[in-house]
Structures are given as C-alpha cells and as structure tokens.
C-alpha cells in the first residue's frame, strides 16, 4: 500500500475532499476529518475509527493498525503502517472512518 493508494481510496468515498491540517494532507466529509496522510511521517496514515473497530483491527493486525497514544487514540484515532497494509484492510478502515464522520443521511444509516 502506498500513500497514493491511500489517497485514491479516501477520495473515492462519497463527498470526500482533500485538505491540509497541521502540515499534512487530510481527508474530510462535510468538513469532518476522517483520515490523514503523512503523520508521524510519510510511512504512516491515520483513520478515525469507532473505538470498538480500532480495538478489533489493532488486535487482529498489530503490524498494520496501531492506536494513537493518549486521548486521540482512546477516541479511535488509529495509525496505519502503509507498507504493511493490504488494500482490502485499508479500504474497510477508511469506509468505517468515513461512516463515523459522515452525516447519517449521507451514509444511509437510520436514526
């Protein structure tokens, strides 16, 4: 998985846009960040997952998904080691992060 693969998959999600936050690219849906690239360096990305999914992925694939330390991590921020990741893993994580950030009417979820 490359940074370009991650970018392309993030931008394929409905209404996803690329912006910049704290000197690295981020991906948003309706203004809410759901993923970033290049933090802490170019070998990593980050997805904002529901905490229960973060726990599941970080236990199942600890070489790929690592919870961010501190409060952000407890809220679901999860780093992704790009070189170790498979596209199918990242696609699922991006979809979950997008779904957490997107308004319910956009995701099709019921209130």
């Amino acid at each position: 998985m490359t940074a370009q693969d991650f970018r392309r998959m993030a931008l394929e999600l409905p209404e996803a846009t690329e912006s910049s936050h704290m000197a690295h690219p981020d991906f948003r849906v309706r203004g809410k960040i759901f993923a970033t690239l290049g933090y802490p360096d170019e070998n990593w990305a980050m997805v904002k997952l529901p905490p229960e999914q973060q726990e599941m992925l970080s236990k199942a694939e600890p070489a790929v998904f690592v919870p961010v330390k501190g409060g952000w991590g407890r809220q679901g921020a999860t780093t992704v080691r790009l070189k170790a990741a498979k596209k199918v893993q990242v696609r699922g994580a991006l979809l979950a992060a997008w779904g957490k950030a997107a308004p319910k009417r956009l995701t099709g979820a019921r209130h």
Side-chain angles (χ1 to χ4, degrees):
M1 161 123 288
T2 67
Q4 278 305 106
D5 292 332
F6 187 92
R7 173 179 277 115
R8 181 183 40 74
M9 286 191 285
L11 292 172
E12 286 174 350
L13 295 166
E15 296 190 30
T17 59
E18 183 173 343
S19 190
S20 181
H21 178 71
M22 301 187 65
H24 54 271
D26 66 40
F27 303 94
R28 302 171 187 237
V29 58
R30 302 245 175 122
K32 288 183 157 184
I33 295 173
F34 66 90
T36 65
L37 255 178
Y39 184 82
D41 63 42
E42 70 278 351
N43 297 308
W44 295 86
M46 187 279 302
V47 288
K48 292 174 79 174
L49 298 172
E52 59 278 358
Q53 187 159 13
Q54 176 197 58
E55 181 179 359
M56 181 188 69
L57 288 174
S58 63
K59 284 182 179 177
E61 297 291 343
V64 177
F65 298 102
V66 181
V68 171
K69 292 181 182 176
W72 285 101
R74 287 189 296 277
Q75 294 177 30
T78 308
T79 53
V80 180
R81 188 175 287 118
L82 293 172
K83 286 185 181 181
K86 292 182 172 74
K87 290 179 183 179
V88 68
Q89 295 170 312
V90 173
R91 184 171 285 115
L94 279 167
L95 185 58
W98 175 88
K100 182 180 175 195
K104 298 300 179 217
R105 65 184 174 279
L106 185 58
T107 65
R110 296 187 147 198
H111 291 269

